[in-house]
């Protein structure tokens, strides 16, 4: 057979194809199996797996079950070769641990679509958050006209929506993408009369989906696990609060001696930051027993976000972000919570739950063997053009987000004037002490000056969800 002509794009994949095709025009099932073993590190793959890939991605009639370059390219650009381990796109973690054992996807002022002063409040914001897997929604409740409670950011010019419409929307969309419990964080500013109206709406609209009595749960801790029927848990209105009654945080010692398992604390980011820096190990221990919610400082009028990683590092379960604000913090949040099937609950690693040894994420002395991440940034394809229409000068930044001693970043070189098929072929290595607390972020940037660059696109995932082998695809 003749060699296939070089393709007009993805030359790097064509070169890889030619290596394993060994001069033939098509790739045999046996040659594809060799590729799976050597490059993709799929050591358990057999010839049946290779033949199934050919059946899925090859559309041409080929001799003896083989794959053309076009079929190989379809395979390489599919989810099968995504850098994210596809086994983690389904719920695979133990879902029978107490709620304190999980990071829970949490939204701050969920009703807002813009800033905190004059932004619009919208039911669509709740739908959007729920469809992203959010499992803790915030509802700020105030007295409204005609005994109808309203939701908005109090004492501001943000628009108002009806509380009953919010609850109806939650009831309709709560379990579209996740079967696990939704927590309603009700910031209650209503009079007693309108609180009674709120309670009536919660019961009448949510019906049997509203948790109104303690569950008979088998978890070893005092809080139930996420594995119960689809329920909505209210976090205010005393008669409806079962497991998430909010109490003021005084000190870790006070909580240890006085706080009940069904009570949780909620604190502003600045206070939480001071606590984790002063006594990180105490914060970790506190979060083994109790739920803690962190929310953005009131000074973030533009609805900007803090980096959530440092609060996950001490085991805080409910790290609330403004979901309407894109950027690094939400990239990290989306990256973490795409794990475990995107269900909104991610099991905390053992280091945060161990009662045998104290853990302080601020310490630079962790008695752990280092993990080495070796990767190669090969190429990009069809990068979006800026508004100017000028071709990009792209480079890739790989970032590690974890405990302070693990966090770092490295860049490839810049490829000039190439948005269609930039090629970097850059090897990188990272030394990581606590990979179970790490997120890896691949960020493409456009070099606009000697010291300046602009965001083009990114992809973030947990270190533990990285698929071994090369090459792999990633992008947003």
């Amino acid at each position: 057979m003749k060699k296939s002509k070089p393709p007009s794009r993805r030359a790097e994949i064509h070169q890889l194809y030619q290596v394993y095709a060994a001069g033939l025009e098509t790739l045999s099932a046996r040659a594809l199996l060799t590729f799976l073993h050597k490059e993709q590190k799929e050591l358990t793959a057999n010839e049946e797996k290779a033949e199934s890939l050919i059946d899925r991605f090859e559309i041409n009639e080929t001799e003896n079950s083989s794959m053309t370059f076009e079929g190989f390219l379809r395979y390489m650009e599919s989810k099968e070769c995504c850098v994210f381990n596809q086994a983690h796109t389904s719920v695979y973690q133990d879902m029978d641990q107490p709620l304190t054992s999980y990071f829970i996807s949490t939204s701050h002022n969920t009703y807002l679509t813009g800033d905190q002063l004059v932004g619009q409040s919208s039911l669509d914001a709740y739908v959007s958050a729920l469809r992203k897997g959010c499992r803790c929604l915030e509802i700020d409740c105030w007295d409204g006209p005609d005994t109808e409670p309203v939701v908005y950011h109090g004492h501001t010019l943000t628009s108002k929506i009806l509380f009953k419409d919010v609850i109806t929307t939650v009831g309709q969309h709560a379990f579209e993408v996740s079967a696990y419990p939704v927590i309603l964080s009700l910031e209650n500013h209503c009079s007693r009369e309108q609180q009674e109206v709120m309670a009536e709406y919660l019961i009448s609209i949510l019906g049997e989906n509203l948790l109104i009595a303690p569950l008979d749960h088998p978890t070893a801790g005092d809080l139930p696990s996420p594995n119960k029927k689809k329920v909505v848990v209210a976090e205010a209105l005393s008669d409806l609060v079962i497991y998430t009654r909010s109490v003021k945080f005084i000190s870790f010692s006070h909580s240890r001696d006085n706080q009940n398992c069904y009570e949780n604390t909620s604190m502003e980011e600045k206070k939480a930051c001071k606590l984790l820096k002063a006594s990180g190990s105490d914060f970790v221990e506190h979060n083994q027993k109790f739920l803690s919610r962190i929310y953005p400082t009131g000074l973030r009028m533009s609805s900007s976000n803090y980096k959530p990683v440092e609060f996950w590092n001490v085991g805080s379960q409910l790290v609330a972000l403004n979901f309407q604000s894109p950027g690094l913090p939400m990239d990290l949040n989306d990256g973490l919570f795409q794990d475990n099937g995107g269900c909104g609950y991610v099991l905390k690693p053992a280091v945060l739950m161990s009662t045998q040894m104290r853990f302080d994420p601020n310490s630079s002395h962790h008695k752990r063997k280092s993990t080495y991440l070796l990767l190669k940034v090969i190429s990009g394809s069809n990068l979006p053009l800026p508004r100017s229409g000028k071709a990009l000068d792209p480079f890739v930044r790989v970032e590690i987000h974890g405990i302070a001693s693990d966090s770092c970043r490295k860049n490839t070189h810049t490829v000039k004037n190439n948005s269609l098929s930039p090629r970097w072929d850059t090897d990188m290595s990272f030394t990581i002490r606590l990979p179970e607390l790490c997120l890896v972020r691949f960020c493409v940037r456009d070099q606009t000056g000697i010291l300046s660059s602009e965001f083009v696109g990114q992809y973030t995932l947990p270190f533990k969800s990285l698929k071994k082998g090369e090459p792999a695809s990633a992008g947003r």
Side-chain angles (χ1 to χ4, degrees), residues 228-461:
K228 48 201 190 248
K229 62 181 182 179
K230 298 176 180 179
V231 294
V232 175
V233 185
E235 199 189 14
L237 302 180
S238 59
D239 291 342
L240 296 182
V241 176
I242 306 300
Y243 292 119
T244 52
R245 185 188 301 275
S246 186
V247 295
K248 183 179 180 180
F249 178 83
I250 298 175
S251 68
F252 291 126
S253 60
H254 183 273
S255 295
R256 185 169 55 247
D257 296 336
N258 299 281
Q259 191 170 332
N260 295 304
C261 69
Y262 55 83
E263 294 174 328
N264 70 283
T265 53
S266 188
M267 65 184 79
E268 190 186 63
E269 60 173 288
K270 287 187 176 181
K271 181 176 182 179
C273 194
K274 288 180 181 178
L275 288 170
L276 70 85
K277 288 180 179 178
S279 48
S281 57
D282 288 334
F283 214 155
V284 171
E285 186 177 301
H286 173 87
N287 288 325
Q288 292 173 354
K289 301 174 183 177
F290 310 108
L291 292 175
S292 69
R293 179 177 177 273
I294 315 299
Y295 61 90
T297 174
L299 297 177
R300 294 186 180 273
M301 296 300 183
S302 65
S303 295
S304 62
N305 283 310
Y306 53 82
K307 281 183 63 177
V309 172
E310 60 183 348
F311 301 115
W312 290 330
N313 287 345
V314 291
S316 294
Q317 301 87 354
L318 304 167
V319 180
L321 297 178
N322 294 303
F323 272 44
Q324 73 273 31
S325 300
L328 174 60
M330 276 306 299
D331 291 343
L332 297 173
N333 194 78
D334 292 343
L336 174 66
F337 287 108
Q338 71 170 312
D339 193 13
N340 202 31
C343 75
Y345 286 82
V346 172
L347 191 64
K348 294 197 292 189
V351 69
L352 293 177
M353 296 307 296
S354 174
T355 57
Q356 305 302 313
M357 58 178 291
R358 287 172 64 82
F359 170 72
D360 185 353
N362 300 316
S363 172
S364 58
H365 304 289
H366 297 288
K367 297 179 179 179
R368 301 282 297 273
K369 288 185 177 179
S370 296
T371 296
Y372 299 98
L373 172 61
L374 307 176
L375 57 85
K376 184 173 186 176
V377 180
I378 301 173
S379 63
S381 177
N382 296 317
L383 300 179
L385 291 174
R387 292 180 180 177
S388 66
K390 174 185 172 295
L392 301 174
D393 294 339
F395 68 93
V396 177
R397 175 175 294 162
V398 180
E399 305 165 354
I400 305 297
H401 297 269
I403 60 171
S405 57
D406 283 342
S407 298
C408 61
R409 67 186 192 186
K410 296 183 179 181
N411 296 341
T412 66
H413 63 278
T414 298
V415 175
K416 294 290 186 179
N417 198 36
N418 191 335
S419 302
L420 183 63
S421 56
R423 184 86 177 262
W424 294 285
D425 287 319
T426 301
D427 293 302
M428 295 183 181
S429 63
F430 300 89
T431 302
I432 300 172
R433 287 294 183 90
L434 287 169
E436 60 266 53
L437 287 175
C438 280
L439 292 164
V440 183
R441 184 174 186 253
F442 299 88
C443 185
V444 179
R445 300 190 67 86
D446 178 25
Q447 191 82 54
T448 55
I450 297 177
L451 298 175
S452 61
S453 62
E454 294 181 354
F455 175 85
V456 176
Q458 69 87 41
Y459 183 75
T460 304
L461 74 166

Side-chain angles (χ1 to χ4, degrees), residues 108-163:
H108 171 251
N109 288 358
T110 314
Y111 48 88
L112 288 178
T113 60
D115 65 58
Q116 305 287 311
L117 287 177
V118 296
Q120 291 294 307
S121 301
S122 172
L123 298 175
D124 289 340
Y126 286 95
V127 177
S128 176
L130 287 167
R131 288 178 175 171
K132 285 184 176 181
C134 184
R135 297 286 90 186
C136 183
L137 307 172
E138 185 169 16
I139 308 176
D140 289 359
C141 310
W142 298 81
D143 281 352
D146 303 321
T147 324
E148 284 287 354
V150 294
V151 174
Y152 81 114
H153 197 200
H155 308 300
T156 70
L157 297 178
T158 57
S159 62
K160 301 173 182 178
I161 51 180
L162 294 178
F163 176 80

Side-chain angles (χ1 to χ4, degrees), residues 3-4 7 10-28 30-36 38-39 67 69 72 423 470-471:
K3 285 186 178 181
S4 59
R10 305 314 299 263
E12 70 282 9
I13 294 180
H14 189 259
Q15 290 171 5
L16 188 65
Y17 175 83
Q18 288 182 315
V19 169
Y20 287 91
L24 299 178
E25 189 170 356
T26 60
L27 194 67
S28 68
R30 185 174 293 276
L32 179 58
L33 180 61
T34 302
F35 168 79
L36 294 176
K38 187 174 180 181
E39 302 288 351
M67 183 179 272
F69 172 70
F72 185 71
R423 184 86 177 262
E470 60 176 341

